[in-house]
Amino acid sequence: MPEQPFQSEGAIAGSGAGGAGGAMELAAGEAQTLEPGPRVGTAPRGPQGTGPPGPEPSAAASVGERPRSLWSDAWQDLCRNPVFIISGLIILFLLFISLWPSAIASGSPLKCDLAKAQQGSAPGHPFGYDGQGCDVYTRTVYGARTSVAVGVCATLGVAVLGSVLGALAGFFGGLWDSFLSRITDVFFAIPVILGGLVLLSVVTSNSIWPVIGFIVLLGWPQISRIARGAVITAKQHDYVQAARALGASNSRILLRHIAPNAIAPVIVVATIALGTYIALEATLSYLGVGLKPPSVSWGIDISAASPYIRNAPHALLWPSGALAITVLAFIMLGDAVRDALDPKLR
């Protein structure tokens, strides 16, 4: 005789008392009992229940949280870095007084009174007067606009020109790479101060653009070499080879795959170089080949106050201190950004 299928007590009771309704309830109960997956409050086990318990899914995985990128990790590291916070606040203050200097300094920086020449601090004039009777405080505040404008514009020009040329040389290589390498060697051989004395001595304009153009002309080779090395390293990665195998064009590979992963060292070098360019503008203005009066610049004020350093040291102290703090703030910002973007330091 054929074997009768095993029936539980619940099944017998259900068939006798409730008919089809009891059978449906039993089927639902068995389906819930035999449903695969871990129980509530227990960890999943191996394929046959004999293996060690597997790890419980994390909360991030349960809600589908995407993994953080290099930039998000770098931003969180920067927000916890006191060096970045202090330098960032200083730079924000410099940008504020560069855009709206009249908010904290009343009067004109070109208004001078020879009767007050070399006098010390007075009510409403905390920094005193320079050798021409001009308010040192007002000229120091307005001088930030020129220095910051030169530094930012020169850095943008250097970063764009150097990054484009370096990226093309590193990506295509060959004759273009060799030609660009020899050109950068020529520019590296030119002394910056000597080149400024020669090139800017023939310029009669009082605007900031000749100084910016000179800095871009001699500053792009450094960024170019940094970008070239970063692109050469990035184009050898597997994701670039995969994109090339899928038929992606050179422009798409360079812009979508290589550039986002090679731009970090360029940002670090450009941030540090910004402070250097501000100091270079002040140096050229001090030597008389950069900005010229009636332009307001820290380099011009330092040059004008140098002969009176014994009688009126305050006229030299305040613009020199403002220049030093500005350069230091940008260098500290660049160091903090470098530490955040360097995976080897994590």
Side-chain angles (χ1 to χ4, degrees):
M1 294 178 64
E3 297 181 357
Q4 296 294 331
F6 175 77
Q7 294 182 353
S8 61
E9 296 179 359
I12 298 174
S15 60
M24 292 179 62
E25 292 179 1
L26 174 62
E30 292 181 350
Q32 183 177 3
T33 304
L34 300 177
E35 182 179 0
R39 298 179 182 177
V40 178
T42 61
R45 295 184 174 272
Q48 297 181 356
T50 59
E56 295 184 358
S58 60
S62 62
V63 298
E65 182 181 353
R66 297 179 60 185
R68 294 185 302 178
S69 63
L70 172 65
W71 301 102
S72 60
D73 288 341
W75 175 250
Q76 292 188 3
D77 292 342
L78 289 175
C79 292
R80 295 191 297 264
N81 192 343
V83 175
F84 173 78
I85 296 175
I86 295 174
S87 59
L89 291 176
I90 295 175
I91 292 173
L92 288 178
F93 176 73
L94 290 171
L95 293 176
F96 173 77
I97 65 176
S98 299
L99 296 175
W100 300 283
S102 59
I104 62 172
S106 59
S108 173
L110 302 178
K111 183 180 180 180
C112 305
D113 187 1
L114 287 176
K116 300 179 180 179
Q118 301 183 16
Q119 291 185 7
S121 60
H125 306 278
F127 293 175
Y129 299 88
D130 61 6
Q132 300 296 325
C134 303
D135 185 16
V136 177
Y137 173 76
T138 303
R139 291 188 64 86
T140 301
V141 172
Y142 276 84
R145 168 183 290 181
T146 303
S147 298
V148 172
V150 170
V152 171
C153 294
T155 302
L156 290 177
V158 167
V160 172
L161 180 61
S163 298
V164 171
L165 296 179
L168 294 177
F171 184 75
F172 293 104
L175 182 61
W176 171 251
D177 188 14
S178 301
F179 175 75
L180 184 66
S181 299
R182 302 293 78 78
I183 293 296
T184 54
D185 292 338
V186 172
F187 277 95
F188 276 127
I190 301 176
V192 178
I193 301 299
L194 180 59
L197 291 174
V198 173
L199 296 178
L200 295 177
S201 60
V202 298
V203 178
T204 58
S205 176
N206 291 331
S207 65
I208 64 176
W209 297 111
V211 179
I212 294 175
F214 166 75
I215 295 176
V216 172
L217 179 64
L218 294 186
W220 69 268
Q222 180 185 13
I223 300 293
S224 176
R225 287 206 167 176
I226 298 296
R228 173 182 174 273
V231 169
I232 290 177
T233 303
K235 76 175 184 178
Q236 298 176 359
H237 290 168
D238 294 338
Y239 58 85
V240 176
Q241 303 300 328
R244 193 184 301 276
L246 291 174
S249 61
N250 289 333
S251 59
R252 180 179 179 83
I253 293 175
L254 186 59
L255 296 177
R256 295 292 301 273
H257 300 283
I258 295 181
N261 296 281
I263 198 174
V266 175
I267 293 177
V268 172
V269 175
T271 306
I272 298 177
L274 199 155
T276 306
Y277 297 153
I278 293 177
L280 179 59
E281 178 274 323
T283 303
L284 296 174
S285 299
Y286 178 85
L287 296 175
V289 295
L291 299 178
K292 302 174 181 63
S295 300
V296 181
S297 170
W298 289 334
I300 295 176
D301 292 346
I302 293 172
S303 177
S306 297
Y308 312 103
I309 187 173
R310 292 186 177 181
N311 299 329
H314 59 274
L316 179 65
L317 174 64
W318 293 110
S320 301
L323 176 63
I325 292 174
T326 301
V327 175
L328 180 61
F330 281 104
I331 292 178
M332 291 170 56
L333 181 68
D335 290 340
V337 173
R338 179 196 59 195
D339 296 340
L341 293 179
D342 191 356
K344 298 179 181 178
L345 299 178
R346 296 183 179 276

